Amino acid sequence: MKESSKDKNSTMYCITDEMLVNERSLKNQYRHIVDATNIVSKTDIHGVITYVNSKFIEISGYSKKELIGKHHNILRNPDIDASFFKELWETIKSKQVWNGAITNVHKNGSRYTVEASIFPILDAKGDIVEYIAIRHDITKLQELNDEINALHSYDLQQQHIAREKLEMGIANDFNESESKILYAPSDILSGDFYSLYKGEDGSRFLYIIDGQGHGISPALTVFAVSSIMNQLVKKVINLQELTDQLFPAIKPFLGEIEQLSYTMIKISSDSKKLFYASAGMYPFLIKEKGLKIKEVKANNIPFMNFSQVPKVTELDIKGAESILLYSDGLVEHENRELNIFSPQNLILEPNLIESANGSMSAMKLEDDVTLLYLKI
């Protein structure tokens, strides 16, 4: 039997009605899922609350009756600058979604923080009719983050205090016309240490110690070694005597894998002889008359807890004009802008050292940079 048009329309109507029922059921399930897992509220275009779910009531401390019809600023944190909310409203009024963290005030005065997304809801004409906000409670996460930031701030503060104390052990007996220093630590606590001394007899002594690694351990090691050295410098007659007493004394400060690179130099009172012990460092430079530069290579191995007392080498420097020693950070960076500050350029043009100091201190280098320039 042929189906009538009336039967067809009736069948189509029943299917459409079933689809609407299913769609309504799905929407209710979606809303239940959102409500069960999120903090939800709706406001009119003026920010007056028109709907809150149970999680919103729970986290705010207010009852539904106390919230509905009130402006959303009932929860506003007075510590937040008004510009924050100005930017929020400008965003959603322009029909864009606003995302961000907000700290609100609970009814009892305590604070809670939520990660929020605020959506403008549009009618068929594209006009905003209301706003819906979906939030997640991140109060505990924010508190943990605040604790971490506070600990980090305290740690930095203590490192700055420690650095000030450590740098009190750095000595320089020379004025700016006699010496120039470049000191650019990569961390607050540097693994490099140095000092320059004038002897009562007119001799001069200078050194750089470069501790392996970064952070507190190498900084404390080089400080301890420098403290011992700074005491011995005033008591010994020559560099060999200093190394004979120094290295047995500092072995207890070194761990199994810790090592120290160093360059120690003593210039005789008549400026004709130079005595040095160097290990693990790039060659130090001696500028002779004219533009001639002599490179002096290390003559020992880096000092470790099993090392022997280093040997001292004597050089004839009669007629030399200046000397330059430096740690590896000066040449082992990968910044091409700093290539102009090569050791050879700096000993030929010592006025560049001040510019190098400013440039390297402003950059985040991977290693500490220390340079000592001394007129002979």
Side-chain angles (χ1 to χ4, degrees), residues 126-143:
D127 296 325
I128 299 174
V129 293
E130 63 180 352
Y131 300 102
I132 182 169
I134 298 176
R135 309 167 184 82
H136 300 282
D137 184 6
I138 59 169
T139 304
K140 292 187 182 300
L141 180 63
Q142 185 65 43
E143 289 173 351

Side-chain angles (χ1 to χ4, degrees), residues 121-364:
I121 305 301
L122 312 180
D123 62 14
K125 297 179 181 179
D127 296 325
I128 299 174
V129 293
E130 63 180 352
Y131 300 102
I132 182 169
I134 298 176
R135 309 167 184 82
H136 300 282
D137 184 6
I138 59 169
T139 304
K140 292 187 182 300
L141 180 63
Q142 185 65 43
E143 289 173 351
L144 178 60
N145 188 60
D146 290 343
E147 288 179 11
I148 292 172
N149 288 337
L151 288 172
H152 180 64
S153 177
Y154 176 79
D155 179 57
L156 290 178
Q157 181 186 29
Q158 293 303 306
Q159 287 190 51
H160 279 292
I161 293 172
R163 177 171 173 175
E164 290 175 359
K165 291 183 177 180
L166 292 177
E167 290 185 355
M168 289 175 64
I170 294 175
N172 182 9
D173 292 341
F174 300 89
N175 59 42
E176 293 183 1
S177 65
E178 298 171 305
S179 71
K180 295 185 183 298
I181 311 297
L182 191 164
Y183 188 51
S186 62
D187 292 332
I188 295 175
L189 296 178
S190 175
D192 284 5
F193 225 75
Y194 70 91
S195 282
L196 304 91
Y197 288 96
K198 285 182 181 179
E200 293 182 359
D201 61 351
S203 62
R204 287 161 285 178
F205 174 74
L206 61 159
Y207 71 85
I208 294 178
I209 302 175
D210 185 357
Q212 184 183 50
H214 298 276
I216 295 176
S217 179
L220 292 178
T221 299
V222 296
F223 177 70
V225 173
S226 296
S227 297
I228 296 173
M229 189 181 302
N230 292 346
Q231 293 298 316
L232 291 175
V233 166
K234 301 172 184 178
K235 300 176 181 179
V236 300
I237 298 174
N238 55 52
L239 185 58
Q240 189 63 65
E241 186 179 353
L242 186 148
T243 58
D244 289 343
Q245 296 185 36
L246 172 67
F247 285 88
I250 66 177
K251 283 188 177 184
F253 295 103
L254 297 173
E256 292 183 2
I257 63 172
E258 198 165 21
Q259 70 178 44
L260 295 178
S261 300
Y262 59 87
T263 295
M264 297 181 288
I265 294 173
K266 186 163 186 178
I267 300 170
S268 63
S269 56
D270 60 7
S271 300
K272 294 181 180 180
K273 298 289 183 180
L274 181 147
F275 305 88
Y276 77 95
S278 182
M281 302 283 277
Y282 280 86
F284 64 88
L285 307 181
I286 299 175
K287 181 177 177 294
E288 300 178 339
K289 289 183 178 180
L291 299 178
K292 186 176 180 181
I293 299 174
K294 181 178 182 179
E295 293 188 349
V296 183
K297 296 182 179 179
N299 57 349
N300 291 279
I301 64 170
F303 189 74
M304 293 164 274
N305 61 7
F306 54 82
S307 298
Q308 301 298 314
V309 174
K311 63 181 180 179
V312 174
T313 302
E314 177 183 333
L315 293 178
D316 185 349
I317 58 168
K318 184 179 180 180
E321 297 179 348
S322 59
I323 184 171
L324 185 143
L325 53 155
Y326 54 95
S327 63
D328 52 11
L330 181 69
V331 294
E332 291 186 356
H333 59 79
E334 298 181 356
N335 194 316
R336 293 183 180 180
E337 296 178 14
L338 302 178
N339 288 344
I340 186 176
F341 304 125
S342 67
Q344 289 75 15
N345 285 347
L346 293 176
I347 196 170
L348 291 174
E349 296 289 341
N351 289 334
L352 283 174
I353 294 175
E354 184 175 351
S355 298
N357 206 356
S359 297
M360 293 187 173
S361 296
M363 296 181 180
K364 182 61 179 176

